Amino acid sequence: MKLSDSQDSTFMQRALSLAVMGQYTSHPNPRVGCVLVQDNQIVGEGLHWQTGGLHAECNALEGAKEKAYGATVYVTLEPCAHKGRTGPCVDALIQANVKRVVVAALDPNPLVSGKGIQKLKEAGITVDVGLLEKEALALNKGFYSRMQRQHPYVRAKIAMSLDGRVAMENGESQWITSPEARKQGQLWRARSGAILTGSATVLHDNCRLTVRDIERLGLKDESLFRQPLRVIIDSTLSVPGSFAIFHQPGKTIVATSELAALQHKAYGSQVEVVAFAEKEGHIDLQALLFWLGKQEINDVLVEAGPTLVGALLQQDLIDELLVYIAPKLLGNEAKPMAVLPGLSQLSDHIAGEFDRVERVDQDLHLVLNLHR
C-alpha cells in the first residue's frame, strides 16, 4: 500500500540525512542514503560510506534481512544497474522482493541514468521519482558536475573584511575572521576532493592545506577519511620542495607550464608535476579543471589569493563563493578579494544569487551561487 505524501517525505528526509553522513568519505562516488520501510516502520537503513564498499541500498538490505520482502525503499539517488566496483543495486533490490522504490533523483552517470528505474519496473516493482529532488541534487552538486560537464563543481572560500579586503598590503591575513569561521573552513575542505591554490599563497603562508581535527567530522571510523588532493598552480616551479605542503598526508599536484615541466625537479613520491598549455599569461585553468574531472574529482575548493580568484571569476570557472565577512575595516591599501581588471562600467559586473546568509560568531557567512 502506498504511503501518504507526508509519510513519504518523512522517510526520504531520513534517507537524505543518512546520505549527508557520507559527505566526507564517499567521493568520488555520490553521497547516497537509503531507508527500507515495512508497516510504517523503518526496518533497515544505510548509506554509502566509501568507494569500493557497499552501496546505500545494499547496506539497508543487510540491516533489514527478511523484512525487506514487500518493503518500500526510499533512496536519494537512482539505484545503479551496472557492475562497477560493486554489483548492480537494482539486482539486489529485485532479489529481495521489495514492492516499491521511491527515488529522489536520477543518476547523471550515463551508465545508469534511467536504466535502474527501467529495470525495477520491468521486475514489477512500483517506482516513484522526484520526491525531494532539489535537496538530493544539492547534496551531489560535484558528482552531477563531473558527470554532466566533465569537470568538478568549484567553490572559492574567501575570508574578508567588511570593506572587501583579504589581506594587508604586506600580505598579513591571520586572522581576519573568527575561530568558528575558520572551523567551518575546515569542514569545507573535508567535503572537497581537491583544494586549489596558487604559488604566491604557498610561498607567503607556507600553508599545509590539510584537514585538521578529523574527529570533528563525526565519522564512524576515522580511517575512512582521505585528505583532499592538494593542487598548486605554479607556472615556474617556484615553490621549494622543502615547503610544508609537500610533506603532508595524501597527494599534491603541481600544475605548471609545459616549459617549466622540462626542468622538472624532484619533490617526493607523493608529489606529481603535471604540465598544461599556457593561456592569457598563466596555465590554462579550464584545462586544469577538465583534467581534475578525469581524476574523478567532484568538488574543488579554491583557497587562493586575489589574482587566481580573479582569473577564475573572469573565466566563469567558479560556481559558488563561500564568503566569510568580519566586522572589520582594513582600508583601501589592503588587498581586494579578487583582481578583476577590465570592469570599467556597471554592466561589466559578475552577478550571482545568494543561497544562504547566516551569522557565524561575530562574522557573516554568505553563500553566493554564480551559475543559476
Side-chain angles (χ1 to χ4, degrees):
M1 182 179 70
K2 182 175 179 178
L3 300 178
S4 70
D5 288 344
S6 62
Q7 289 172 314
D8 279 345
S9 294
T10 297
F11 291 124
M12 187 61 82
Q13 286 282 9
R14 174 56 185 165
L16 285 166
S17 69
L18 288 167
V20 169
M21 293 169 65
Q23 66 184 321
Y24 304 120
T25 59
S26 67
H27 47 75
N29 283 0
R31 299 142 182 170
V32 184
C34 180
V35 170
L36 268 65
V37 174
Q38 188 77 263
D39 297 326
N40 294 351
Q41 298 294 319
I42 294 176
V43 295
E45 60 181 26
L47 66 141
H48 181 53
W49 280 106
Q50 190 176 47
T51 298
L54 290 178
H55 285 192
E57 300 93 324
C58 292
N59 273 320
L61 288 169
E62 197 173 74
K65 295 184 172 58
E66 69 278 357
K67 292 180 181 179
Y69 186 90
T72 295
V73 180
Y74 297 86
V75 62
T76 59
L77 192 69
E78 177 184 4
C80 60
H82 71 294
K83 181 174 176 58
R85 295 180 177 95
T86 61
C89 290
V90 289
D91 290 353
L93 293 171
I94 292 167
Q95 289 168 12
N97 289 301
V98 303
K99 186 175 183 180
R100 176 177 174 236
V101 177
V102 183
V103 177
L106 292 177
D107 193 321
N109 187 339
L111 294 173
V112 179
S113 190
K115 298 180 177 67
I117 302 298
Q118 181 182 352
K119 195 167 183 179
L120 290 170
K121 288 181 175 179
E122 289 173 351
I125 297 171
T126 301
V127 182
D128 296 305
V129 181
L131 179 65
L132 300 184
E133 180 182 37
K134 182 179 178 181
E135 291 84 348
L137 294 176
L139 189 59
N140 283 303
K141 289 179 180 180
F143 183 71
Y144 274 82
S145 176
R146 180 164 66 85
M147 288 296 162
Q148 296 174 340
R149 304 188 299 177
Q150 288 74 58
H151 65 76
Y153 190 86
V154 180
R155 297 177 176 90
K157 182 174 69 68
I158 298 168
M160 70 182 194
S161 63
L162 187 60
D163 52 348
R165 305 291 164 165
V166 297
M168 302 307 293
E169 187 179 18
N170 64 3
E172 180 189 1
S173 61
Q174 296 181 342
W175 298 103
I176 293 175
T177 52
S178 66
E180 187 55 38
R182 300 198 295 276
K183 288 178 183 178
Q184 282 198 12
Q186 288 286 311
L187 298 181
W188 283 115
R189 283 185 183 181
R191 294 184 185 106
S192 306
I195 303 172
L196 177 64
T197 194
S199 57
T201 297
V202 178
L203 287 168
H204 187 273
D205 297 339
N206 195 13
C207 49
R208 292 176 287 172
L209 295 187
T210 55
V211 178
R212 298 181 284 280
D213 301 325
I214 295 173
E215 63 274 8
R216 293 187 68 242
L217 305 182
L219 303 176
K220 68 168 186 176
D221 180 356
E222 291 181 10
S223 69
L224 293 173
F225 182 75
R226 294 176 297 171
Q227 288 288 344
L229 180 71
R230 296 175 293 275
V231 183
I232 309 168
I233 296 178
D234 187 359
S235 298
T236 60
L237 297 181
S238 59
V239 181
S242 59
F243 269 50
I245 197 167
F246 298 124
H247 305 280
Q248 305 303 317
K251 188 174 181 180
T252 302
I253 297 293
V254 180
T256 193
S257 65
E258 293 172 336
L259 179 60
L262 296 175
Q263 304 156 7
H264 173 207
K265 53 188 177 183
Y267 288 101
S269 61
Q270 289 297 97
V271 182
E272 180 181 357
V273 175
V274 182
F276 293 90
E278 290 193 64
K279 181 179 179 181
E280 298 176 6
H282 48 70
I283 72 163
D284 190 329
L285 298 173
Q286 188 173 52
L288 170 60
L289 291 180
F290 277 106
W291 182 85
L292 288 170
K294 290 179 180 178
Q295 311 312 305
E296 297 189 312
I297 299 297
N298 293 332
D299 302 88
V300 168
L301 181 66
V302 179
E303 294 193 35
T307 302
L308 178 53
V309 170
L312 289 164
L313 282 170
Q314 289 198 304
Q315 293 186 48
D316 198 24
L317 297 178
I318 294 178
D319 297 296
E320 198 169 280
L321 290 176
L322 312 171
V323 184
Y324 291 87
I325 303 177
K328 302 171 182 175
L329 300 172
L330 300 185
N332 63 299
E333 293 183 358
K335 295 184 178 183
M337 63 167 281
V339 175
L340 298 168
L343 303 187
S344 58
Q345 49 191 0
L346 189 57
S347 59
D348 296 328
H349 71 277
I350 296 171
E353 182 175 316
F354 288 120
D355 266 357
R356 195 186 326 155
V357 179
E358 61 186 1
R359 186 164 175 170
V360 178
D361 197 0
Q362 295 301 307
D363 304 328
L364 286 180
H365 178 214
L366 314 178
V367 178
L368 183 70
N369 194 308
L370 298 177
H371 288 156
R372 278 293 181 188

